[in-house]
Each structure stands twice: as structure tokens, then as C-alpha cells.
Amino acid sequence: MLRWAVIFLVIALVAAVLGFGGIAGSAAGIAKIIFFVFLILLVISVVMGRRKV
């Protein structure tokens, strides 16, 4: 999932350099959402991994 966030970030940067502001903003927003979802899932994974069943 982190890979997808980086891909969308690169797309946003390339679009911004080429002057496509709308596409750059959308791709950056998607990258931000995917990154935060990744962080939430990472924290859940770490917490669940430390629990003893």
C-alpha cells in the first residue's frame, strides 16, 4: 500500500511540473489518503502482533 502512495505522489509531482494543477491536486490527495490508511493498518498490525492469545 505504501508503494501505491509513492506512485500517486510521483504522478502528482510530474503533473505539477507539467502544469496540470487539477490532476496534481487529485493525485496528491489520493496519495495522502492511501498513506494514512497504510499508517493505520501498520499500527493495527503492530498492536495485534504484540497481543498474546
Side-chain angles (χ1 to χ4, degrees):
M1 188 169 286
L2 185 60
R3 180 178 180 199
W4 281 103
V6 172
I7 289 171
F8 275 106
L9 181 63
V10 169
I11 291 171
L13 291 174
V14 170
V17 167
L18 295 177
F20 298 107
I23 296 172
S26 298
I30 292 170
K32 190 188 309 184
I33 291 170
I34 292 174
F35 180 72
F36 284 123
V37 170
F38 165 76
L39 285 179
I40 291 169
L41 291 176
L42 177 69
V43 169
I44 291 171
S45 174
V46 168
V47 169
M48 295 303 271
R50 292 182 184 252
R51 285 179 66 187
K52 299 219 179 198
V53 177

